[in-house]
Amino acid sequence: MTTRTQNTMWGGRFAAGPDAIMEAINASIGFDRRLYAQDIAGSRAHAAMLAATGIITDKDAEAIREGLLTVLSEIEAGDFPFSTELEDIHMNVEARLKELIGEPAGRLHTARSRNDQVATDFKLWVREQIDAAVEGLTALIRALLAQAEAGADWVMPGFTHLQVAQPVTWGHHMMAYVEMFGRDIGRFRDARARMNECPLGAAALAGTSFPIDREMTARALGFDRPAANSLDAVADRDFALEFLSAASICAMHLSRLAEELVIWSSAQFRFVTLSDRFSTGSSIMPQKKNPDAAELIRAKIGRILGATVGLFAVMKGLPLAYSKDMQEDKEQVFDAADNLMLALAAMEGMVRDMTANREALREAAATGFSTATDLADWLVRELNLPFREAHHVTGRLVAMAEARGCDLPDLSLDDMKSVHPGITNAVFDVLGVENSVASRTSYGGTAPQNVRAQIARWKEKLE
């Protein structure tokens, strides 16, 4: 096993560098290199502030600025030699900056620490992911709105316990997911507003004796304000936990929709046809068209929720302020963000491409005595029966229809009168599935006019 004789980045405290095992467990450059753009942006803002406050000269600040731009271009071109010996993205950038501009590079780290630096980098990255998630959700909502508008009055079965319950409209079902994903947007935006405080300037944990201008760096990096407590600023990972929590709820919503697409596209339901772009075949069964994209989306909640639980476990017992445990905060957040964006993009494509089978939807809506509640409601309105008695009468009629192998509208008026003599021919006006959905005009109900009003509201909201 070899050891390095010195580590110039750690300075004079250590006579010898870490051995290979320590280097391997300590290094984070394998994953935190993803923060390069945020790290360089934070360093540029910090250098500009140091010059503006007279802590470093304008000449040194200009050299730092130009050098950082060179480092940025090298990384983006794939020409940057990342080194595990330099541990992390911060040290890699600073070491290359020193090679490029010499002594001024050593002044960049004045009045800051890797603790506030990484907290700032990570916040900037998570903030960008939140913006990307909102954009992806907006695209998905637009695809759902297009489906809802096309089928605002198409009748389909509504389910409880996956049993036919009452007729609803295709548009109404699509709009249910619009509401779900709209709440996801709200959660991401709430998290973004709460996290938008800048840690830079908190230094290691106690602030700094240099006359820095934290308001200046916060503004330069798009934050609303500096973080108010230096201990909290470097110890906080709530922003990552909130992002993961919102991502987990969003992934759960995606999983529910994916499950419906899997069911609906089956030969037994035939409610939708998924496009070939989001389906696969079988290696042995030539007739198969598998909804693999939906199934994979359905599974993403596992790893995204796992990341959430993992970060909670890392943070739960940490005393203030920074501990090396917090290096374990990034990989799971990176993975969750990548998979959320992939799932959102795939779901948006599937929803936009899928074709609903109007006839199969209507046929299914007319089964399972789906208008039984309409019959009970009619008995209450027209015959002034207490609802419990109307429920009992309707139940007897359902049993009669079931015994005869028919649906409620197929019973004759005499059949119905045999159960309750007050029933008139007018009852048949409420037993059709189209009549059923059209009658559900209460706010939030499934009536086509309601669906169209909600579509218009959401279109205006998205504008």
Side-chain angles (χ1 to χ4, degrees):
M1 186 177 294
T2 60
T3 61
R4 297 177 62 213
T5 56
Q6 69 179 91
N7 186 318
T8 57
M9 303 309 294
W10 286 0
R13 169 65 179 84
F14 293 87
D19 67 19
I21 293 175
M22 181 59 195
E23 184 176 286
I25 195 172
N26 193 49
S28 60
I29 190 60
F31 52 86
D32 70 14
R33 66 177 64 186
R34 290 183 66 159
L35 300 176
Y36 74 88
Q38 293 77 20
D39 192 71
I40 291 171
S43 290
R44 291 180 63 193
H46 185 67
M49 180 276 295
L50 292 177
T53 53
I55 297 172
I56 66 173
T57 66
D58 289 339
K59 181 179 179 182
D60 284 347
E62 178 61 18
I64 290 169
R65 187 186 77 83
E66 292 297 324
L68 287 171
L69 289 175
T70 299
V71 173
L72 180 63
S73 66
E74 288 178 350
I75 295 175
E76 290 179 340
D79 297 330
F80 189 91
F82 291 105
S83 168
T84 57
E85 294 178 356
L86 295 172
E87 296 183 26
D88 55 35
I89 187 62
H90 323 300
M91 294 301 199
N92 271 264
V93 169
E94 186 175 328
R96 178 59 179 148
L97 184 65
K98 184 176 181 181
E99 292 174 356
L100 291 168
I101 67 172
E103 185 202 27
R107 304 186 187 281
L108 173 59
H109 210 53
T110 306
R112 76 174 184 185
S113 161
R114 281 192 293 177
N115 294 355
D116 61 336
Q117 190 178 357
V118 70
T120 302
D121 293 357
F122 200 20
K123 265 196 177 183
L124 289 171
W125 191 89
V126 170
R127 194 175 69 184
E128 290 176 10
Q129 296 307 302
I130 286 175
D131 292 343
V134 168
E135 184 177 339
L137 280 162
T138 301
L140 175 53
I141 286 173
R142 290 189 189 280
L144 288 163
L145 287 172
Q147 287 284 351
E149 194 164 30
D153 58 357
W154 296 2
V155 181
M156 68 174 290
F159 298 92
T160 60
H161 310 279
L162 204 56
Q163 304 295 314
V164 173
Q166 293 176 272
V168 297
T169 57
W170 172 257
H172 193 57
H173 203 115
M174 294 297 100
M175 292 304 293
Y177 283 106
V178 168
E179 293 295 329
M180 281 191 200
F181 294 124
R183 291 194 297 274
D184 290 326
I185 287 177
R187 271 182 283 272
F188 280 120
R189 285 178 171 164
D190 286 349
R192 191 190 197 283
R194 198 161 20 254
M195 68 172 280
N196 211 31
E197 297 181 344
C198 185
L200 200 57
L205 75 163
T208 178
S209 59
F210 289 96
I212 61 173
D213 184 347
R214 293 191 63 206
E215 293 282 354
M216 179 180 174
T217 47
R219 286 193 304 273
L221 294 171
F223 289 104
D224 295 329
R225 65 192 72 85
N229 183 284
S230 59
L231 282 167
D232 179 56
V234 299
D236 168 41
R237 292 299 182 269
D238 288 1
F239 62 92
L241 287 166
E242 282 202 71
F243 168 71
L244 288 175
S245 298
S248 293
I249 296 173
C250 181
M252 177 267 293
H253 289 155
L254 289 167
S255 186
R256 295 184 73 177
L257 177 52
E259 169 71 357
E260 296 215 292
L261 295 184
V262 170
I263 293 171
W264 291 350
S265 62
S266 69
Q268 289 71 30
F269 274 73
R270 299 182 298 107
F271 284 4
V272 300
T273 301
L274 300 179
S275 75
D276 291 348
R277 293 201 309 144
F278 295 97
S279 306
T280 65
S282 166
S283 63
I284 189 172
M285 295 169 284
Q287 83 281 8
K288 294 292 292 298
K289 184 177 181 182
N290 298 325
D292 281 9
E295 292 171 357
L296 289 165
I297 291 170
R298 187 173 58 185
K300 292 299 183 186
I301 177 65
R303 63 195 300 166
I304 294 172
L305 180 59
T308 309
V309 174
L311 185 54
F312 269 108
V314 167
M315 297 300 298
K316 70 154 185 78
L318 296 186
L320 297 179
Y322 181 84
S323 297
K324 194 70 170 180
D325 310 49
M326 292 165 70
Q327 184 168 291
E328 293 293 318
D329 59 358
K330 296 173 195 65
E331 285 182 278
Q332 47 210 339
V333 177
F334 293 161
D335 183 77
D338 290 346
N339 280 280
L340 178 66
M341 292 309 302
L342 183 59
L344 282 170
M347 184 59 81
E348 188 266 336
M350 273 195 299
V351 170
R352 192 168 297 282
D353 286 1
M354 74 180 178
T355 302
N357 184 342
R358 184 176 184 178
E359 291 307 313
L361 291 168
R362 193 201 179 283
E363 181 182 341
T367 63
F369 311 105
S370 65
T371 57
T373 306
D374 298 277
L375 173 56
D377 289 347
W378 184 89
L379 293 170
V380 171
R381 284 195 312 271
E382 301 300 324
L383 304 186
N384 200 30
L385 296 183
F387 183 80
R388 284 299 165 209
E389 184 179 347
H391 188 282
H392 178 71
V393 169
T394 301
R396 290 180 62 191
L397 289 169
V398 166
M400 179 186 292
E402 188 172 37
R404 297 182 182 181
C406 66
D407 207 346
L408 285 171
D410 301 318
L411 294 175
S412 69
L413 180 59
D414 288 339
D415 290 333
M416 293 195 179
K417 281 181 172 294
S418 70
V419 175
H420 194 286
I423 296 176
T424 69
N425 206 52
V427 73
F428 293 99
D429 292 338
V430 302
L431 293 183
V433 288
E434 284 82 5
N435 292 335
S436 175
V437 297
S439 71
R440 306 291 172 179
T441 56
S442 59
Y443 183 78
T446 190
Q449 66 190 63
N450 289 19
V451 173
R452 293 187 177 100
Q454 292 300 323
I455 292 169
R457 178 177 70 87
W458 268 98
K459 282 184 173 182
E460 183 177 354
K461 190 174 181 178
L462 292 180
E463 292 302 321

